[in-house]
Amino acid sequence: MTTLEQAAIQTDRPIRAHRRFRWIGGKAGAGIAITYLVLILLALIYIYPFLISISSSFKTDAEATQSPLNLIPQTWSFAAYERLFTTVPLLQWAGNSTFIAVIVTFSRVFFDSLAGYALSRLRFRGRTVVFAALIAVMAVPNVALLIPRFLILKELGLYNSYAGMIVPILIDAAGIFIMKQFFESIPVSVEEAARIDGAGVFRTFWTIVLPMARPAIITLFILSFQGSWNEFAHFIVSRQDQSLNTLTTGVASLTSGQLGSGNQYPLQLAAAVLMSIPVAVLFFIFQRRIMNTTEGGEKG
């Protein structure tokens, strides 16, 4: 091989390597583009029903029936929102939902934290059985408990009252499980100083451990508010009086009874859009706290 041929080969190698890198880079770029395309498609499938809810709430009844999947109304109408505040007792439903959601949320945070701390720290006979029963309750479908819950409320005289709507959902098994798991991530040594100073179990829990569980508490707070705000099945079996309607049962009544005449898609969807705003605002405010669930444990 001559010197000229060797020089040509040495010159050709970087060119081939560059082409190979460009081909690999192009292939990787195509893969990333396909991945993003699939993710965007899945996001649209998930978001599209919510967009339809918003757009249809600004349509007329006739347009919402004829073209329910169009995202842009041909004629923008605010009649559905006006009817919600004039002919529909929306404010009364919202007041009931807020009253129940606030009580249930704070009660769940307090009682679930207490129960979670007891299962995590206290050593008492039957603790394992109690925890197993807690897991078993989480495995039971909520719908299977509706009829027994209705019979108990009738026997206790709590049916058709705020107490009957609130008391059965004051404590949540999933919340107890979340708090127990978080408390176990906190080292026991952080409580020793409080015990040496003579602090009791509740004082140690309230002043030392609970402040460290802020991320878990915020997570439980949001889940509890969302669950009680959107609760439907329990409110159906626990009351009959129309004045006790919450937003969920009230919106459901728009398809039946005196308020259920006609199609009324815009009216129903406008109510659904409004009732989803508080939960969405709460979630966006605290979403970073939900994701950072190990913050308290790391500080400990």
Side-chain angles (χ1 to χ4, degrees):
M1 182 180 296
T2 64
T3 305
L4 186 60
E5 289 174 343
Q6 290 177 352
I9 292 173
Q10 290 178 354
T11 305
D12 187 52
R13 282 178 180 173
I15 295 175
R16 289 181 179 178
H18 180 68
R19 288 176 179 173
R20 186 165 56 249
F21 285 133
R22 285 184 59 186
W23 180 78
I24 294 174
K27 189 176 181 180
I32 293 173
I34 292 173
T35 302
Y36 275 105
L37 189 62
V38 172
L39 292 176
I40 291 172
L41 182 62
L42 292 175
L44 288 176
I45 293 174
Y46 185 80
I47 295 174
Y48 193 66
F50 185 67
L51 297 178
I52 289 177
S53 298
I54 297 176
S55 65
S56 296
S57 67
F58 293 102
K59 296 177 181 176
T60 61
D61 288 352
E63 184 183 352
T65 304
Q66 292 174 357
S67 55
L69 299 184
N70 285 347
L71 287 180
I72 301 177
Q74 296 178 355
T75 304
W76 288 84
S77 171
F78 294 89
Y81 289 93
E82 292 177 4
R83 289 175 59 193
L84 282 177
F85 292 97
T86 54
T87 61
V88 176
L90 182 71
L91 295 179
Q92 184 185 36
W93 300 347
N96 289 335
S97 288
T98 303
F99 175 69
I100 294 173
V102 169
I103 293 178
V104 171
T105 299
F106 283 99
S107 298
R108 282 187 180 180
V109 169
F110 180 69
F111 291 120
D112 291 356
S113 299
L114 276 177
Y117 181 76
L119 289 173
S120 172
R121 288 292 196 266
L122 303 185
R123 298 293 181 265
F124 55 90
R125 183 176 296 178
R127 188 172 71 106
T128 306
V129 176
V130 173
F131 184 66
L134 180 74
I135 300 298
V137 169
M138 292 172 60
V140 177
N142 190 40
V143 67
L145 303 176
L146 291 179
I147 300 302
R149 191 177 291 173
F150 166 76
L151 297 175
I152 293 173
L153 292 176
K154 290 283 285 185
E155 289 297 320
L156 295 178
L158 297 177
Y159 179 71
N160 212 24
S161 67
Y162 282 113
M165 299 171 70
I166 293 173
V167 172
I169 57 175
L170 281 180
I171 301 174
D172 179 49
I176 297 174
F177 181 79
I178 291 173
M179 296 309 296
K180 176 186 178 297
Q181 297 302 108
F182 191 87
F183 286 138
E184 288 184 347
S185 70
I186 300 175
V188 181
S189 58
V190 300
E191 305 170 44
E192 292 178 353
R195 290 174 183 168
I196 292 173
D197 291 340
V201 175
F202 182 79
R203 185 180 173 188
T204 303
F205 159 77
W206 189 258
T207 60
I208 304 298
V209 181
L210 195 60
M212 299 177 65
R214 188 181 305 167
I217 290 174
I218 292 175
T219 303
L220 180 59
F221 182 90
I222 294 174
L223 293 178
S224 299
F225 183 83
Q226 183 187 31
S228 55
W229 184 266
N230 295 329
E231 179 63 47
F232 176 72
H234 170 65
F235 294 154
I236 287 293
V237 302
S238 61
R239 49 98 249 170
Q240 189 177 19
D241 194 341
Q242 296 299 317
S243 64
L244 295 177
N245 261 333
T246 61
L247 281 170
T248 51
T249 57
V251 172
S253 71
L254 295 176
T255 60
S256 61
Q258 296 179 349
L259 299 172
S261 58
N263 188 309
Q264 302 193 107
Y265 284 155
L267 184 66
Q268 299 165 26
L269 294 175
V273 169
L274 290 180
M275 67 179 288
S276 65
I277 291 177
V279 177
V281 170
L282 196 67
F283 178 80
F284 282 116
I285 291 176
F286 294 107
Q287 61 175 330
R288 289 189 177 182
R289 294 288 186 178
I290 295 176
M291 297 172 66
N292 192 13
T293 54
T294 59
E295 179 184 333
E298 290 175 355
K299 286 181 179 178

